[in-house]
Amino acid sequence: MIIIDHCVPELLNAFSNSPLVQSTAETVRHGIYNGSRARFDDPQLLVTIYDRPEFHGLSHYDLRTRLDSEGALEPFLIIDKQTQATDSMWYVLDTKTCKENKDPTEGELPPIMYPYEDFILWQARVRVPDVPAVLSQWKIGCTDVIEDIEDWYMDHAYDSHNPPSTMTKSLDVDWSEPENQASWWGWIFIRADWSEVEVNKDPDFSPQYHQAPTAPFVVRLQEKFARKEGFAPVWVPYFHVPVPGELFHFPVMYDWKNPKWPKGFPQNPATSGRLQEPKPPGERTRMGSRCTQTFVLAGSRCLGRNAPR
């Protein structure tokens, strides 16, 4: 029995501040899908896209306070008129974080505070295909979102009314290359029985020993089980003494060429099983609006919350 350690998905909403056209929605859907692990039936982030007419034309600050008044206090994404042309959108922080970061970081100029606003709105423009990996970096502390924003301004004070729209957070990664996707999302932990695993104790057997010379064993899924589950039969270091009757717990790498996984964006995402089916037209959501697009997208690394399927 092979158990895959799936993560509990994070939730993130995206709002369009202008009438949402289908081509723009497709830009977001395809970009996030290509930069994520959604193709492996392992959604890390549930993204719901809203097109609410009452939000059209609102400033980012007004949109933030409007959502706060509705009880939606979490960060969100903004899709605007430049999203399709620039392949990017805004990531807006939650109000609590905004209020706690009114002072500059060391060596930076104080951010501009407008007298008719209660807090400084911190926001960053992110390349659409990089959203999953960038949010993952910010969440686990690889980089800090506010420091990233201030770095864009260099010798200028941060001004939320005049954000550097031409300066977009980008990882410069071509997500169409399997090697790049594998370096970010290609591995996942599994639990497997003795009958499904190969074990080798020869220190000269596998190059993985050079990466972890203190590992007493290397292990991998047997090839027939790996192919069936869509994984590559790659040897990895194993630091625990195998105990008969207990499951092995180790990382495996997705096989990008395995026919189990789609090569491109699903032609019919509503019925493919890999993207969540859009809600029926007119269905009311907790924000009191019509939900026009709902998609399952991967966007953050697993932080220890396992949900075996």
Side-chain angles (χ1 to χ4, degrees):
M1 176 182 64
I2 297 175
I3 301 174
I4 302 174
D5 286 2
H6 291 290
C7 296
V8 177
E10 298 289 338
L11 303 176
L12 189 64
N13 293 319
F15 299 91
S16 179
N17 65 356
S18 61
L20 183 65
V21 297
Q22 185 64 26
S23 58
T24 301
E26 291 297 305
T27 294
V28 175
R29 295 170 64 197
H30 285 243
I32 298 282
Y33 185 88
N34 289 336
S36 70
R37 204 162 69 184
R39 65 179 295 188
F40 297 122
D41 291 337
D42 186 32
Q44 306 281 302
L45 176 68
L46 300 179
V47 175
T48 304
I49 299 177
Y50 292 89
D51 184 20
R52 297 176 56 174
E54 65 270 29
F55 283 0
H56 297 169
L58 289 183
S59 68
H60 294 187
Y61 181 91
D62 289 339
L63 185 50
R64 172 74 276 176
T65 56
R66 175 68 177 270
L67 290 172
D68 287 348
S69 69
E70 297 180 3
L73 308 178
E74 62 279 349
F76 62 91
L77 297 167
I78 293 180
I79 301 169
D80 59 18
K81 293 180 179 179
Q82 286 75 45
T83 292
Q84 186 173 354
T86 62
D87 197 23
S88 62
M89 52 186 173
W90 291 102
Y91 176 72
V92 180
L93 274 68
D94 60 283
T95 300
K96 181 176 182 293
T97 300
C98 289
K99 289 182 176 180
E100 292 174 349
N101 289 274
K102 59 183 178 180
D103 299 319
T105 55
E106 185 176 355
E108 301 291 347
L109 296 172
I112 296 175
M113 180 71 182
Y114 288 86
Y116 51 86
E117 295 178 347
D118 295 328
F119 57 89
I120 297 164
L121 185 72
W122 291 96
Q123 56 186 341
R125 198 166 187 95
V126 183
R127 179 173 168 256
V128 174
D130 292 333
V131 168
V134 167
L135 295 188
S136 172
Q137 286 186 331
W138 285 338
K139 180 159 187 174
I140 65 178
C142 297
T143 59
D144 182 80
V145 55
I146 292 180
E147 289 183 3
D148 274 354
I149 295 171
E150 290 185 320
D151 286 345
W152 291 338
Y153 280 81
M154 302 299 288
D155 299 327
H156 302 281
Y158 171 69
D159 184 355
S160 62
H161 284 214
N162 296 286
S165 59
T166 57
M167 303 177 72
T168 303
K169 178 69 175 181
S170 174
L171 300 177
D172 297 321
V173 173
D174 181 0
W175 293 107
S176 65
E177 294 293 332
E179 310 83 58
N180 293 330
Q181 296 192 24
S183 66
W184 284 90
W185 309 117
W187 295 81
I188 190 169
F189 273 87
I190 66 165
R191 302 172 192 271
D193 188 73
W194 279 68
S195 62
E196 301 162 328
V197 175
E198 293 181 63
V199 181
N200 195 293
K201 297 189 290 185
D202 184 354
D204 298 321
F205 176 73
S206 173
Q208 271 75 12
Y209 268 105
H210 299 295
Q211 302 173 18
T214 59
F217 309 95
V218 287
V219 300
R220 72 173 184 176
L221 271 180
Q222 294 182 27
E223 289 192 21
K224 62 179 180 179
F225 295 110
R227 292 195 187 97
K228 179 182 178 182
E229 296 293 335
F231 300 124
V234 178
W235 293 95
V236 295
Y238 198 74
F239 293 91
H240 307 286
V241 177
V243 178
E246 291 188 4
L247 297 178
F248 285 84
H249 188 217
F250 60 95
V252 293
M253 185 174 71
Y254 285 110
D255 182 359
W256 299 83
K257 298 179 181 179
N258 191 297
K260 178 176 181 177
W261 312 120
K263 293 183 178 180
F265 190 82
Q267 294 299 313
N268 187 9
T271 58
S272 69
R274 292 183 175 84
L275 295 183
Q276 195 175 40
E277 185 173 357
K279 296 181 180 180
E283 180 174 328
R284 307 294 288 184
T285 69
R286 69 184 178 87
M287 293 183 190
S289 68
R290 178 172 296 179
C291 174
T292 58
Q293 311 278 349
T294 305
F295 313 110
V296 176
L297 307 169
S300 63
R301 293 188 187 275
C302 180
L303 303 179
R305 291 173 299 169
N306 299 327
R309 63 182 179 186

